[in-house]
Amino acid sequence: MDITTLIGIIVAFCLVGVSILMGGPGSWFINYPSIMIVMGGTIGATLINYPLSEVLSVLKVTKNVFMHKSQPYNKLIPLIVDFSKMARREGILSFDAHLKDIKDPFLVKAFRMSVDGMDIDAIENVLSTEIAYLEERHRLGADIFSTMGTYAPAVGMLGTIIGLVQMLMQMKDPSSIGAPMAVALLTTFYGTLLANLVFLPISGKLKVRSKQEMIEKQIMLEGIISIQNGDNSNIIEQKLKAFISPKARKAFTTHKAREKVNE
Amino acid sequence: MDITTLIGIIVAFCLVGVSILMGGPGSWFINYPSIMIVMGGTIGATLINYPLSEVLSVLKVTKNVFMHKSQPYNKLIPLIVDFSKMARREGILSFDAHLKDIKDPFLVKAFRMSVDGMDIDAIENVLSTEIAYLEERHRLGADIFSTMGTYAPAVGMLGTIIGLVQMLMQMKDPSSIGAPMAVALLTTFYGTLLANLVFLPISGKLKVRSKQEMIEKQIMLEGIISIQNGDNSNIIEQKLKAFISPKARKAFTTHKAREKVNE
Amino acid sequence: MDITTLIGIIVAFCLVGVSILMGGPGSWFINYPSIMIVMGGTIGATLINYPLSEVLSVLKVTKNVFMHKSQPYNKLIPLIVDFSKMARREGILSFDAHLKDIKDPFLVKAFRMSVDGMDIDAIENVLSTEIAYLEERHRLGADIFSTMGTYAPAVGMLGTIIGLVQMLMQMKDPSSIGAPMAVALLTTFYGTLLANLVFLPISGKLKVRSKQEMIEKQIMLEGIISIQNGDNSNIIEQKLKAFISPKARKAFTTHKAREKVNE
Amino acid sequence: MDITTLIGIIVAFCLVGVSILMGGPGSWFINYPSIMIVMGGTIGATLINYPLSEVLSVLKVTKNVFMHKSQPYNKLIPLIVDFSKMARREGILSFDAHLKDIKDPFLVKAFRMSVDGMDIDAIENVLSTEIAYLEERHRLGADIFSTMGTYAPAVGMLGTIIGLVQMLMQMKDPSSIGAPMAVALLTTFYGTLLANLVFLPISGKLKVRSKQEMIEKQIMLEGIISIQNGDNSNIIEQKLKAFISPKARKAFTTHKAREKVNE
Amino acid sequence: MDITTLIGIIVAFCLVGVSILMGGPGSWFINYPSIMIVMGGTIGATLINYPLSEVLSVLKVTKNVFMHKSQPYNKLIPLIVDFSKMARREGILSFDAHLKDIKDPFLVKAFRMSVDGMDIDAIENVLSTEIAYLEERHRLGADIFSTMGTYAPAVGMLGTIIGLVQMLMQMKDPSSIGAPMAVALLTTFYGTLLANLVFLPISGKLKVRSKQEMIEKQIMLEGIISIQNGDNSNIIEQKLKAFISPKARKAFTTHKAREKVNE
């Protein structure tokens, strides 16, 4: 579980809830037709905007927002460095026996292509294409949520205009406009709430997650190219650690010290 | 039929319709002068903004939004792989007899240039240019709709200001402003409705469609270049599958297994 | 005459006019101080923003919006193909006698440099630079109009605030605010009208025109480079037709068929 | 003096002034606390946003907006062409005696490096870096003003909210809200005025000026590289004139004709 | 201490405070539930949007906004030039003894890799990657603040809508709406205040700081590459000074003059 997303949702919605309940009965803010128009209009506009298959796959992607994914740099880089040493000692073909220990399918694929004897340009071509189009698909997921984050307040405003027109059409006494105007405002409330506390933050988190994954993939790509080029494992470690923050690098110091002793 | 677009439109407009009818007579929301000014102003601004030929061709493009176009990756990639095997067995000239079986004109053109003996740089030049300018034309279509999506609410606001000025000019009794103000709001209603439930989502879908088509074309381009380079069909398959999602790749497993048996 | 721009203006302004006249006397919407502040403020801000020479040259550029410029692809490409045949039959020097038949100064310049014996890199350098900075100057023209399209509503809002302040300062009876508030709204009306039915659409059309001209220039550049490289005229035609839409390409079929007979 | 900026300021502010004075006493629009909060808030936000040194240097940059800087293309290009002829006649070392006649320090530096015998790649490296980071510093100046142009209306709105809250808190009689609401609106008035008639246009002019200076620098860079490459002075002139508009090129015709006679 | 940020904060908040206190009791602007909803909603949305680790590291980054960091160009460039002279006199290995005098870890790392005999392409690869991903991490910090700057006013508006709905629901007498509407406006006030005087300016300063640091790093990278290439120390100085403003360059003149005497 990604505890942050959960905390964020709890903090945001509890405070909105408390602030609603402090000022009067919560039922004032529950209006089914208003909820229906905002949700329906947003979903409708989204379905016109994106193919069904993409919208459905978004439901799966959303799961990522709540699932914790530790940054495996402190495992990934040593792993690649180990393989680079293996390559110099026993040749790239020796990878074959160890591929089953690797979990990441992208890395398995990269090493597999090396073992299969594909030349380095072809490997780089395949992996770069895969990274580029994976990023493209990630971006589509984030885009769907940020598009919902623009449609929701617009549909909310539409609902408020509908409510205002209906209120104005039958208005006789200016002092009686209170309740119907409050109801008219509810669609704007739902639209703004959904956009700013749900759709846009989720879109943002998907972007951050995608960026992290892209860095991992870049590290793998750089690693496999360096191994194929026969780079010294020390240089490979330097190259890969350049992708991560100085703080994250320190996690390797102990590891590296131990390595040096064993070498 | 692209069922999603249709569902989207039905969901969005039914809910708006229901929400209108629940609050009073639907006739409150039908005002011909208001419809006229929003539609006319938006179309007028669009015609100043884009050449007539482009605006007309948009009508044809819109058709694409409602027509279903299956993602033919699971047919396209095997097709190119088959041709790559043919190229290694019988030479590129043997393509000539099979071009009539291919439906996609871009792919036919690509293979035709190969058969005609054009050198690989010229082929890449022609196909890349074609992809780049096809994308440009696609973007123009999406731009026209998103431009309409910005003019429509602006013209709607213009109509509302006109209505407010007229109402304020003849206002005698503040309690009588209900109906004229409601009518003034209708142009904003139409403008917002058209922009957010019609123009912007259609523009969005055209962009998504264009992106899908660009990926197909890139696959074809990569395929033809690899075939010309005499790449092994296995490597070509790897290269082409890098463009698509891991899930979509699984569709080939059976196919590939069968291929391997036959090989 | 570019009939589209004219139709667009007529449609947009007639509908606004009709909608104004249907609701009361048109004189309600004519207020010279309001027109003065919106026009003056917009022009003033534009003059601070851009050098006088640029703003003046915009007046000439605007002419382009109303003048029809047929897309000469179906003349341009055959012309370049003809010259490529001439180059192979009689050498590039033979162009000299035919340059006077070409109207486009860019193409004349390109061929002239070929005839003058400039080497191909220098020609490409000169022509690419010229295209890049021509596009820059085009963009400046479109930018001036879109900047006016942002200042106009802002100045309109400024006028409305001025009107509101004056109205509020001398307000005694709330029921008497009708007329002064209507007048205060007029500057917002002018600003929105100018921005959305004049400045922004003109800026848009200038951008579309520029894009079309850039494609033409790219075709000329590609053509002259291919001719200098001694490409076969068939390949040159393929390369140049890659810039245009499949539909526009069909216009050449007859032409090409005839050519083939004569060849 | 850049007469355009001055005209722009006079036109914009006179019209705003006239429109204010036509509707009532000008004193209605002068409110020192309101001016204080808008100016202070904008300056405060800007100081948090940018280092003091940058904000101070903006004061010097602003001077450029009012100072006229003729476009020296019709002097710059012939100057470089003259040096290219000198280079072919007497060698690059002969530049040494003429450097004191050149006013532009960038051009002096470029020629000085040539005379000093730096190789062409190093010269291009130094000059390109200098151009890139000069552009970066120019952009910072324009950014400061456009940032002020976003903070000013936001702070203005903040002031209006403060005024509204104070008015609403002590409101007893709805008919007495005129004057305090007018005062509350004044901060929005100042913010909008400063943003749209001062900060944003100045930011815009700084961008235009920067672009012009970049073109000049690019011409100098292209010129010095061509001279170092030993290009013919005719070709150099062609290359440099590609940067400027066809209209500006005509200014050279007489000059060039005279040159040809002397050659 | 970065005195500018402090001055900015004092100026902005004092003026807002004074303007609040001039119009009535300051207690009108303190409403704990309103503060709670704006702060809580903004923090909640931010936690959904970004991983916890990133949000926490932002707290450390914020420190940078208040800490003064002198631009060390006038120390950095001479230092690199000195090392380049050392490299030509005594060889790169002689750096080893002087690395302990350098404070910047990036520069130490760069020189260390030189001393260790890594080849120049690998060094450039490592350092460029490090610069690119450092910039990426900097941008994330600035993005978090600018995201908070968009959520804060949105949550503020949400609070205002909640307040308006509650007010309208229980409104009996239109003349009694003063106080509750003022309270409803307070969340918009807090949201706008936080966004424009805190979050957005801090995000802006982080961007400026990042840009300065990137320039420093680019100077170091260029320096180490030039040293490895065995460039003359004069040329290296020219190259490095191209990154900084002409004004900043003057600081070296005395230094350089002295150097020349000693050389």
Side-chain angles (χ1 to χ4, degrees):
Chain A
M1 269 299 297
D2 177 1
I3 201 75
T4 329
T5 309
L6 204 70
I7 295 175
I9 288 175
I10 292 171
V11 167
F13 279 88
C14 281
L15 283 167
V16 170
V18 166
S19 115
I20 282 175
L21 293 172
M22 279 176 66
S27 63
W28 285 351
F29 288 85
I30 294 171
N31 183 287
Y32 294 111
S34 299
I35 293 174
M36 210 174 68
I37 188 175
V38 173
M39 290 300 296
T42 305
I43 290 171
T46 306
L47 286 178
I48 307 175
N49 203 331
Y50 293 100
L52 187 59
S53 56
E54 306 295 352
V55 176
L56 287 179
S57 78
V58 148
L59 295 177
K60 292 179 204 152
V61 165
T62 317
K63 203 183 53 191
N64 289 336
V65 175
F66 294 96
M67 279 180 47
H68 187 60
K69 223 176 169 182
S70 75
Q71 295 177 27
Y73 300 141
N74 55 348
K75 289 194 176 168
L76 175 63
I77 295 178
L79 181 78
I80 294 172
V81 172
D82 285 351
F83 270 86
S84 80
K85 286 174 190 159
M86 204 191 301
R88 289 171 75 100
R89 275 197 313 264
E90 311 167 36
I92 285 178
L93 289 181
S94 66
F95 287 7
D96 206 17
H98 300 82
L99 289 185
K100 61 182 176 302
D101 304 335
I102 307 176
K103 276 171 201 152
D104 188 282
F106 184 84
L107 198 56
V108 171
K109 182 177 184 178
F111 282 140
R112 169 79 57 211
M113 286 188 296
S114 277
V115 171
D116 288 355
M118 258 172 91
D119 76 289
I120 190 162
D121 286 343
I123 294 178
E124 190 172 355
N125 179 319
V126 169
L127 298 181
S128 306
T129 305
E130 194 158 338
I131 292 176
Y133 285 88
L134 176 62
E135 197 173 7
E136 191 77 27
R137 283 191 300 275
H138 281 176
R139 193 179 306 134
L140 186 62
D143 278 359
I144 291 180
F145 275 105
S146 74
T147 302
M148 290 174 89
T150 33
Y151 287 141
V155 172
M157 206 189 91
L158 207 62
T160 298
I161 297 174
I162 293 175
L164 286 178
V165 168
Q166 289 168 341
M167 178 196 86
L168 289 164
M169 277 296 187
Q170 50 195 322
M171 181 176 86
K172 276 163 204 155
D173 172 20
S175 69
S176 70
I177 66 168
M181 193 178 260
V183 171
L185 276 176
L186 281 183
T187 54
T188 293
F189 169 71
Y190 295 135
T192 311
L193 186 79
L194 281 173
N196 289 290
L197 296 187
V198 180
F199 297 142
L200 296 179
I202 286 181
S203 171
K205 180 146 290 178
L206 287 175
K207 272 177 213 152
V208 171
R209 286 276 146 85
S210 171
K211 228 172 243 176
Q212 287 175 341
E213 203 174 330
M214 286 305 115
I215 294 177
E216 274 177 49
K217 296 276 185 285
Q218 290 290 351
I219 290 175
M220 295 176 194
L221 176 59
E222 182 73 37
I224 194 78
I225 291 172
S226 297
I227 289 177
Q228 282 265 24
N229 278 335
D231 278 1
N232 177 294
S233 66
N234 243 337
I235 288 179
I236 293 181
E237 193 173 342
Q238 293 267 31
K239 279 186 180 174
L240 302 189
K241 277 161 69 180
F243 284 89
I244 62 175
S245 70
K247 210 180 110 194
R249 271 174 227 155
K250 285 185 188 158
F252 301 111
T253 340
T254 337
H255 177 87
K256 204 187 155 187
R258 209 181 50 231
E259 284 291 314
K260 277 201 164 165
V261 173
N262 297 340
E263 226 171 315
Chain B
M1 270 300 295
D2 177 359
I3 200 74
T4 328
T5 310
L6 204 70
I7 294 174
I9 288 175
I10 291 172
V11 167
F13 279 88
C14 280
L15 282 167
V16 170
V18 166
S19 114
I20 282 175
L21 294 173
M22 278 175 66
S27 62
W28 284 352
F29 288 86
I30 294 170
N31 183 288
Y32 294 110
S34 299
I35 293 175
M36 212 174 69
I37 187 176
V38 174
M39 290 300 296
T42 304
I43 290 171
T46 306
L47 286 177
I48 306 175
N49 204 329
Y50 293 100
L52 187 58
S53 56
E54 305 295 351
V55 176
L56 288 179
S57 78
V58 148
L59 295 177
K60 291 179 204 153
V61 165
T62 317
K63 204 181 53 190
N64 289 335
V65 175
F66 295 96
M67 278 179 50
H68 187 60
K69 224 178 170 181
S70 75
Q71 295 177 27
Y73 300 141
N74 54 348
K75 288 193 178 169
L76 175 63
I77 295 179
L79 182 79
I80 295 173
V81 172
D82 285 351
F83 270 85
S84 80
K85 286 173 189 160
M86 206 191 298
R88 290 172 74 99
R89 275 197 315 263
E90 312 165 35
I92 285 178
L93 290 181
S94 66
F95 288 7
D96 207 18
H98 300 81
L99 289 186
K100 61 182 178 299
D101 305 335
I102 307 175
K103 277 171 201 153
D104 189 282
F106 185 84
L107 197 57
V108 171
K109 183 178 183 177
F111 282 140
R112 169 78 57 211
M113 287 189 295
S114 278
V115 172
D116 288 356
M118 257 172 91
D119 76 287
I120 190 161
D121 285 344
I123 294 178
E124 192 172 354
N125 179 320
V126 169
L127 298 181
S128 305
T129 306
E130 194 158 338
I131 291 175
Y133 285 88
L134 176 62
E135 199 173 6
E136 191 76 29
R137 283 190 300 275
H138 281 177
R139 195 181 303 133
L140 185 62
D143 278 359
I144 291 181
F145 275 105
S146 73
T147 303
M148 292 174 87
T150 33
Y151 287 141
V155 172
M157 206 189 90
L158 207 63
T160 297
I161 298 174
I162 292 176
L164 286 177
V165 169
Q166 289 168 341
M167 179 196 84
L168 289 163
M169 278 296 187
Q170 49 195 323
M171 182 176 83
K172 275 161 205 156
D173 173 20
S175 69
S176 71
I177 65 168
M181 192 178 261
V183 171
L185 276 176
L186 282 183
T187 54
T188 293
F189 170 71
Y190 295 136
T192 311
L193 186 78
L194 281 172
N196 289 291
L197 296 187
V198 180
F199 297 143
L200 296 180
I202 286 181
S203 172
K205 179 146 289 176
L206 288 174
K207 271 177 213 153
V208 171
R209 286 276 146 83
S210 171
K211 228 172 244 178
Q212 287 175 340
E213 203 174 330
M214 285 304 116
I215 294 177
E216 273 176 50
K217 297 275 187 285
Q218 289 291 352
I219 289 176
M220 294 175 194
L221 176 58
E222 183 72 37
I224 194 79
I225 290 172
S226 296
I227 289 177
Q228 282 264 25
N229 278 335
D231 279 0
N232 176 295
S233 66
N234 243 336
I235 289 178
I236 292 182
E237 193 173 342
Q238 293 266 32
K239 280 186 181 175
L240 302 189
K241 277 161 70 180
F243 284 90
I244 62 175
S245 70
K247 211 181 109 195
R249 270 175 227 155
K250 285 185 188 160
F252 300 112
T253 339
T254 337
H255 177 86
K256 205 187 155 187
R258 210 180 49 233
E259 285 290 316
K260 277 201 166 165
V261 173
N262 297 341
E263 227 170 312
Chain C
M1 270 299 296
D2 176 1
I3 201 74
T4 327
T5 309
L6 204 71
I7 294 175
I9 289 175
I10 291 172
V11 167
F13 280 87
C14 280
L15 283 168
V16 170
V18 167
S19 114
I20 283 175
L21 293 173
M22 278 175 66
S27 62
W28 283 351
F29 288 86
I30 294 170
N31 182 287
Y32 294 112
S34 299
I35 293 174
M36 211 175 68
I37 187 177
V38 174
M39 290 300 296
T42 304
I43 290 170
T46 306
L47 285 177
I48 305 175
N49 203 329
Y50 293 99
L52 188 59
S53 56
E54 304 295 350
V55 176
L56 287 179
S57 78
V58 148
L59 295 177
K60 290 178 206 153
V61 165
T62 316
K63 201 183 55 191
N64 288 334
V65 175
F66 294 96
M67 277 180 48
H68 187 60
K69 224 177 170 182
S70 74
Q71 295 178 26
Y73 300 141
N74 56 347
K75 287 191 179 171
L76 174 62
I77 295 180
L79 182 79
I80 294 173
V81 172
D82 285 350
F83 270 85
S84 80
K85 286 175 188 158
M86 206 191 298
R88 289 171 75 99
R89 275 197 314 263
E90 311 166 34
I92 285 178
L93 290 181
S94 67
F95 287 6
D96 207 17
H98 300 82
L99 288 185
K100 63 182 177 299
D101 304 335
I102 307 176
K103 276 170 202 156
D104 188 282
F106 184 85
L107 197 58
V108 171
K109 183 177 182 177
F111 282 140
R112 168 78 59 212
M113 287 189 296
S114 276
V115 171
D116 288 356
M118 257 172 92
D119 76 289
I120 189 160
D121 285 343
I123 294 179
E124 191 171 355
N125 179 319
V126 169
L127 298 181
S128 305
T129 306
E130 193 158 338
I131 291 176
Y133 284 88
L134 176 61
E135 198 172 5
E136 192 75 30
R137 285 191 298 275
H138 281 177
R139 195 180 302 133
L140 185 62
D143 278 359
I144 292 180
F145 275 105
S146 72
T147 303
M148 292 175 87
T150 34
Y151 286 140
V155 173
M157 207 190 89
L158 207 62
T160 297
I161 297 174
I162 294 176
L164 285 177
V165 169
Q166 289 168 341
M167 178 196 84
L168 289 163
M169 278 297 188
Q170 50 195 324
M171 181 177 83
K172 275 161 206 158
D173 172 20
S175 68
S176 70
I177 65 168
M181 192 178 262
V183 171
L185 277 176
L186 281 183
T187 53
T188 294
F189 170 71
Y190 296 136
T192 310
L193 187 78
L194 281 173
N196 289 290
L197 297 186
V198 180
F199 297 143
L200 296 180
I202 286 181
S203 172
K205 179 147 289 175
L206 288 174
K207 272 176 212 154
V208 172
R209 285 276 146 82
S210 171
K211 227 170 246 179
Q212 287 174 340
E213 203 174 329
M214 285 306 116
I215 294 177
E216 274 175 50
K217 296 276 187 284
Q218 289 291 352
I219 289 175
M220 294 175 194
L221 176 57
E222 183 72 36
I224 195 77
I225 289 172
S226 296
I227 290 176
Q228 281 264 25
N229 278 335
D231 279 0
N232 176 295
S233 66
N234 243 335
I235 289 178
I236 294 181
E237 191 172 343
Q238 293 267 30
K239 279 185 180 175
L240 302 189
K241 278 161 69 179
F243 284 90
I244 61 175
S245 70
K247 211 180 109 195
R249 271 174 226 156
K250 285 187 188 157
F252 300 112
T253 339
T254 338
H255 177 86
K256 204 187 156 187
R258 211 180 50 233
E259 284 291 315
K260 277 203 166 165
V261 173
N262 297 343
E263 228 172 309
Chain D
M1 270 299 294
D2 176 1
I3 201 73
T4 327
T5 309
L6 205 70
I7 294 175
I9 288 173
I10 292 171
V11 167
F13 279 88
C14 281
L15 282 168
V16 170
V18 166
S19 114
I20 283 175
L21 294 173
M22 278 176 67
S27 63
W28 284 349
F29 288 86
I30 295 170
N31 182 287
Y32 294 112
S34 298
I35 293 174
M36 211 174 69
I37 187 176
V38 173
M39 290 300 296
T42 304
I43 290 170
T46 305
L47 285 178
I48 305 175
N49 203 330
Y50 293 100
L52 187 59
S53 56
E54 305 296 349
V55 176
L56 287 179
S57 79
V58 148
L59 295 177
K60 291 178 204 153
V61 165
T62 316
K63 202 183 54 191
N64 288 334
V65 175
F66 295 95
M67 278 179 49
H68 188 61
K69 223 178 173 178
S70 75
Q71 297 179 24
Y73 300 141
N74 55 347
K75 288 192 177 170
L76 175 62
I77 294 179
L79 181 78
I80 294 173
V81 171
D82 285 352
F83 271 84
S84 80
K85 285 175 189 157
M86 204 191 299
R88 288 171 75 99
R89 275 197 314 264
E90 311 165 35
I92 285 177
L93 290 182
S94 66
F95 288 6
D96 207 18
H98 300 83
L99 288 186
K100 61 181 177 301
D101 304 336
I102 307 177
K103 275 169 203 156
D104 187 281
F106 184 85
L107 197 57
V108 171
K109 182 178 183 177
F111 282 140
R112 169 77 58 213
M113 287 189 295
S114 276
V115 171
D116 288 356
M118 255 171 93
D119 75 289
I120 188 161
D121 285 342
I123 295 179
E124 190 171 354
N125 180 319
V126 169
L127 297 181
S128 305
T129 305
E130 193 157 337
I131 292 176
Y133 285 87
L134 176 62
E135 198 172 7
E136 192 75 28
R137 285 190 299 276
H138 280 177
R139 194 180 304 132
L140 186 62
D143 277 359
I144 291 180
F145 276 105
S146 73
T147 302
M148 293 174 86
T150 34
Y151 287 141
V155 173
M157 206 189 89
L158 208 61
T160 297
I161 297 174
I162 293 175
L164 286 177
V165 169
Q166 290 168 340
M167 178 196 85
L168 289 163
M169 278 296 189
Q170 50 195 323
M171 182 176 84
K172 276 161 204 155
D173 172 19
S175 68
S176 70
I177 66 168
M181 192 179 263
V183 171
L185 277 176
L186 282 183
T187 54
T188 293
F189 170 71
Y190 295 136
T192 311
L193 187 78
L194 281 172
N196 289 290
L197 298 186
V198 180
F199 297 143
L200 296 179
I202 286 180
S203 171
K205 179 146 289 177
L206 287 174
K207 273 177 212 153
V208 171
R209 285 276 146 83
S210 171
K211 227 170 245 179
Q212 287 174 340
E213 203 173 330
M214 286 305 116
I215 294 177
E216 274 176 50
K217 296 276 186 285
Q218 289 290 353
I219 290 175
M220 294 176 194
L221 176 58
E222 182 73 36
I224 194 77
I225 290 173
S226 297
I227 290 176
Q228 281 263 26
N229 278 335
D231 278 0
N232 175 296
S233 66
N234 242 335
I235 288 178
I236 293 181
E237 191 172 343
Q238 292 267 30
K239 279 186 180 175
L240 303 188
K241 278 160 70 178
F243 285 89
I244 61 175
S245 70
K247 212 180 109 194
R249 271 173 226 156
K250 285 187 189 158
F252 300 112
T253 340
T254 338
H255 178 85
K256 205 190 154 186
R258 209 181 51 233
E259 284 291 314
K260 276 202 166 165
V261 172
N262 297 342
E263 228 171 311
Chain E
M1 270 298 295
D2 177 1
I3 201 73
T4 328
T5 309
L6 205 70
I7 295 176
I9 288 173
I10 292 171
V11 167
F13 280 88
C14 281
L15 282 168
V16 170
V18 166
S19 115
I20 282 175
L21 293 172
M22 279 176 66
S27 63
W28 284 350
F29 289 86
I30 295 171
N31 183 287
Y32 295 112
S34 298
I35 293 174
M36 210 174 68
I37 187 176
V38 173
M39 289 301 294
T42 305
I43 290 171
T46 306
L47 285 178
I48 306 176
N49 203 331
Y50 294 100
L52 187 59
S53 57
E54 305 296 351
V55 177
L56 287 179
S57 79
V58 148
L59 294 177
K60 292 180 203 151
V61 165
T62 317
K63 203 183 53 191
N64 288 335
V65 175
F66 295 95
M67 278 179 48
H68 188 61
K69 224 176 169 180
S70 74
Q71 296 177 27
Y73 300 140
N74 55 347
K75 289 193 176 168
L76 175 62
I77 294 178
L79 181 78
I80 294 172
V81 171
D82 285 351
F83 270 86
S84 80
K85 286 174 189 157
M86 204 190 302
R88 288 171 76 98
R89 275 197 314 265
E90 311 165 38
I92 285 178
L93 290 182
S94 66
F95 288 7
D96 206 18
H98 299 83
L99 288 186
K100 61 182 177 301
D101 304 336
I102 308 177
K103 275 171 203 154
D104 187 283
F106 184 85
L107 198 56
V108 171
K109 182 178 184 177
F111 282 140
R112 170 77 58 212
M113 286 188 295
S114 276
V115 172
D116 287 356
M118 256 172 92
D119 75 290
I120 188 161
D121 285 342
I123 295 179
E124 190 172 355
N125 180 320
V126 169
L127 297 181
S128 304
T129 305
E130 194 158 337
I131 292 176
Y133 285 87
L134 176 62
E135 198 173 7
E136 192 75 28
R137 284 190 300 275
H138 280 177
R139 194 180 303 134
L140 186 62
D143 277 359
I144 291 180
F145 275 105
S146 73
T147 302
M148 292 174 87
T150 33
Y151 287 141
V155 172
M157 207 189 89
L158 207 62
T160 298
I161 296 175
I162 293 175
L164 285 178
V165 169
Q166 289 167 342
M167 178 196 85
L168 289 164
M169 278 295 188
Q170 49 195 323
M171 181 177 86
K172 277 163 203 155
D173 173 19
S175 68
S176 71
I177 67 168
M181 193 178 260
V183 171
L185 276 175
L186 281 183
T187 54
T188 293
F189 170 71
Y190 295 136
T192 310
L193 187 79
L194 282 172
N196 289 290
L197 297 187
V198 181
F199 297 141
L200 295 179
I202 286 181
S203 171
K205 179 146 291 176
L206 288 174
K207 272 177 213 152
V208 171
R209 286 276 146 84
S210 171
K211 228 172 244 178
Q212 287 174 340
E213 203 174 330
M214 286 305 115
I215 294 176
E216 274 176 50
K217 296 274 185 287
Q218 290 290 353
I219 289 175
M220 295 176 194
L221 176 59
E222 182 73 36
I224 194 77
I225 289 173
S226 297
I227 289 176
Q228 282 264 24
N229 278 335
D231 279 1
N232 176 296
S233 67
N234 242 336
I235 289 178
I236 293 181
E237 192 173 343
Q238 292 267 31
K239 279 186 180 175
L240 302 188
K241 277 161 68 179
F243 285 89
I244 61 175
S245 70
K247 211 180 110 194
R249 270 173 227 156
K250 285 187 188 156
F252 300 112
T253 340
T254 337
H255 178 86
K256 205 189 153 185
R258 210 179 51 234
E259 284 292 314
K260 277 203 165 162
V261 173
N262 297 342
E263 227 172 312

